Amino acid sequence: MKRMLAVLIAGLFAEGAVAADLLGVYRDAFAFDAQFASARSQAAAGQESRIQGRAGLLPQIGASATVQYNDSEIKRPLPGYSGRYGSNQWGVQLTQPLFRMQNWYQYEQGNLASTVSELQLESARQDLVLRVAGAYFDLLNAQETLASIVAQKGATMQQLELAKKSFEVGTTTITDVHEAQSRFDLVVANEAAASANVEIKRETLRRYTGKEYNALAPLREGVHFDSPQPADMAQWATRAEEDNFGVQAAKLAAEIANKTLSSNRAGHLPTADIVASYGATNNNAIGGITATESKITSGSIGVQLSLPIFAGGYTQSKVRESLALRDKARSDYEDARRAASLGVRQAYLGVTSGIAQVAGYEAALLSSRSAVEANKLGYQVGVRINIDVLNAETQFFDTFRQLSRARYDTLLAQLQLKSATGTLGETDIQAINGLLDPEAAGRPITLPDTTPKTEPGNKKSAADALTGRKKK
């Protein structure tokens, strides 16, 4: 049975901390993240565009009232007579558009703008998934990196002590001691940087969720990554060019630009409205020549026709502006399609190359572990020097860190691939969440033991193991 070296990072996992997995962290962020909350508010504001556009097609009703005091003097034909009286009036007017093409185009623009806001909210939700997953995996990777450096520090310290003892008995030179001391000092510096990086990644995750997670569910041992289906990058690119939320929003923006152009061109057209009004005017006599009170009520209904003739060149200028903005929107749409195609290809290659890298690093980890054991045995029998062991150990721990990074990068690339095609949802988070091991959250991080499988100090058995010979 393979022995394992358990590396516990002091203070890395708080005692009694509740384990969190990716799905739970995402749901916390969904309720807390300020950036996504901003997107929700923006989407709610965007929904009003539909109502505002529709308002231009519906009746407009207004009311007015006036109360005033009048003081008048008549010089002809009866000079010297004056009238002082109060008056008040009120009225209600209804206007129903019959023909206003500009209003109709603005109504269509409002519907499109409302749909764009919905797409932007979905895009923000997918962005939240990627940000949270990236922060989650970054923290796990930072913790594993720190664990490997702590383990490397212990292994380097062991080699430093062996070098000092060997120098004291005269079997090695002072160079071996200096090399081991230099390597140990470098690992100590890396440990400080790795420890700070863990805190930075923890704070990044807390920014999204408002919570501090001291225990995160890591990947299960021997986890298998599935290849993208369909296994055709061109099909993924085609889907992205149609279904990507950014592409859909850019396409609608181009349609809105067309509607804006049509609306501004309609500024040359006549308008027709039904106008109905009703009101009353009261005059209260105070004195002078006005001897009686008067009360007048009136109502009217009719069709009002307006024809714009010249507006100082404003309408023509707006048309030219709209033409330029329409061309810009079309270019933006094409750029969005190309960006989506590039993004999905990068994500696809990230998954496929990530799977290959994980397999390669797993094999390399086994090989580098065997190399460490062999160099330690060689050092015991005198056919290897201390720097050989230090180099082999450095290679082993570097491979462990590269393997850890490759695993999390592959998981993130899977999410990015779904996001590029506009299909990333909570079910994809649940699928990745199934690859995690909640029971392992908070446990000490373990690394393979590189101790030679022979008893220390038994040079004959060490040499036999190194050369593959069996003891008689």
Side-chain angles (χ1 to χ4, degrees):
M1 178 183 294
K2 295 181 179 179
R3 291 178 295 171
M4 306 296 288
L5 173 62
V7 182
L8 176 61
I9 305 175
L12 192 58
F13 300 110
E15 184 177 356
V18 178
D21 57 15
L22 180 59
L23 182 60
V25 171
Y26 165 71
R27 288 174 175 171
D28 289 339
F30 188 86
F32 179 82
D33 182 64
Q35 188 172 332
F36 185 65
S38 173
R40 279 199 300 257
S41 299
Q42 182 64 43
Q47 291 301 307
E48 299 301 320
S49 298
R50 179 179 284 110
I51 299 174
Q52 293 168 9
R54 186 179 60 193
L57 304 178
L58 298 179
Q60 310 294 312
I61 301 176
S64 62
T66 302
V67 176
Q68 61 186 18
Y69 174 76
N70 304 279
D71 185 356
S72 60
E73 180 180 358
I74 299 177
K75 294 183 177 181
R76 292 181 181 181
L78 300 174
Y81 286 87
S82 64
R84 296 181 178 87
Y85 60 94
S87 66
N88 61 78
Q89 60 183 8
W90 60 270
V92 178
Q93 179 173 296
L94 180 146
T95 303
Q96 171 61 57
L98 284 181
F99 180 80
R100 285 182 176 268
M101 288 304 299
Q102 281 185 307
N103 291 16
W104 179 258
Y105 289 127
Q106 289 170 2
Y107 167 69
E108 293 181 333
Q109 285 177 267
N111 287 336
L112 293 174
S114 180
T115 304
V116 168
S117 68
E118 295 172 359
L119 293 174
Q120 291 173 339
L121 179 60
E122 284 301 305
S123 179
R125 183 189 57 77
Q126 290 196 345
D127 178 67
L128 176 66
V129 173
L130 296 179
R131 287 188 290 115
V132 170
Y136 185 97
F137 297 147
D138 282 347
L139 179 53
L140 284 178
N141 179 247
Q143 291 174 343
E144 292 177 5
T145 297
L146 179 56
S148 68
I149 292 176
V150 171
Q152 184 178 4
K153 177 182 174 183
T156 306
M157 172 61 77
Q158 184 180 22
Q159 288 303 123
L160 176 59
E161 293 174 351
L162 287 174
K164 289 179 178 180
K165 291 179 180 178
S166 298
F167 175 70
E168 291 174 357
V169 298
T171 57
T172 60
T173 65
I174 191 62
T175 302
D176 286 349
V177 177
H178 291 331
E179 288 173 342
Q181 184 65 55
S182 174
R183 193 65 59 89
F184 177 78
D185 294 339
L186 179 61
V187 173
V188 170
N190 290 338
E191 180 186 13
S195 180
N197 190 48
V198 168
E199 295 303 319
I200 292 173
K201 301 306 181 184
R202 181 178 287 116
E203 287 300 314
T204 300
L205 189 59
R206 189 160 70 95
R207 171 193 173 190
Y208 301 144
T209 65
K211 297 181 180 179
E212 183 171 342
Y213 304 98
N214 293 317
L216 297 180
L219 277 175
R220 297 182 185 276
E221 290 291 336
V223 66
H224 174 73
F225 299 102
D226 295 326
S227 298
Q229 294 298 327
D232 184 357
M233 187 164 57
Q235 293 187 34
W236 285 94
T238 300
R239 289 173 58 185
E241 291 176 0
E242 296 295 331
D243 299 334
N244 180 273
F245 285 131
V247 172
Q248 294 184 53
K251 183 178 181 180
L252 290 180
E255 293 183 20
I256 291 174
N258 278 327
K259 299 297 181 184
T260 302
L261 174 60
S262 299
S263 176
N264 288 328
R265 282 175 171 168
H268 295 288
L269 300 178
T271 62
D273 303 317
I274 295 177
V275 180
S277 62
Y278 181 82
T281 301
N282 297 320
N283 294 319
N284 301 316
I286 298 177
I289 62 171
T290 305
T292 61
E293 298 181 1
S294 65
K295 182 177 182 181
I296 303 172
T297 59
S298 63
S300 66
I301 185 171
V303 177
Q304 179 176 298
L305 179 67
S306 299
L307 177 63
I309 297 177
F310 181 68
Y314 177 82
T315 303
Q316 292 87 340
S317 175
K318 291 295 292 184
V319 170
R320 292 193 298 270
E321 179 188 39
S322 300
L323 281 169
L325 292 177
R326 183 197 62 180
D327 293 340
K328 175 185 180 301
R330 289 177 175 178
S331 299
D332 290 342
Y333 170 54
E334 182 60 29
D335 182 66
R337 292 179 69 252
R338 297 174 185 177
S341 177
L342 175 61
V344 80
R345 291 174 187 274
Q346 290 175 331
Y348 183 92
L349 293 175
V351 176
T352 54
S353 64
I355 293 174
Q357 286 180 10
V358 168
Y361 285 136
E362 288 176 343
L365 187 65
L366 295 176
S367 300
S368 59
R369 172 187 174 185
S370 299
V372 172
E373 295 174 354
N375 275 278
K376 285 184 176 180
L377 288 173
Y379 183 70
Q380 291 179 15
V381 300
V383 296
R384 286 287 188 271
I385 60 177
N386 194 42
I387 192 62
D388 295 327
V389 177
L390 293 172
N391 288 338
E393 287 179 339
T394 299
Q395 180 64 38
F396 168 75
F397 289 110
D398 284 345
T399 303
F400 176 85
R401 291 190 281 270
Q402 290 172 332
L403 173 60
S404 174
R405 183 71 268 174
R407 284 172 172 167
Y408 295 123
D409 285 346
T410 302
L411 287 176
L412 189 59
Q414 289 179 335
L415 295 176
Q416 290 170 338
L417 182 62
K418 290 296 188 71
S419 176
T421 56
T423 59
L424 179 61
E426 191 167 309
T427 55
D428 298 296
I429 304 176
Q430 293 173 343
I432 290 185
N433 207 59
L435 304 178
L436 305 179
D437 185 7
E439 296 181 357
R443 292 179 184 174
I445 298 175
T446 57
L447 293 114
D449 185 12
T450 57
T451 304
K453 304 304 183 293
T454 58
E455 294 297 329
N458 188 341
K459 292 190 176 183
K460 183 176 181 180
S461 63
D464 291 340
L466 183 64
T467 59
R469 295 192 297 267
K470 295 182 178 179
K471 292 195 300 180
K472 295 183 180 179

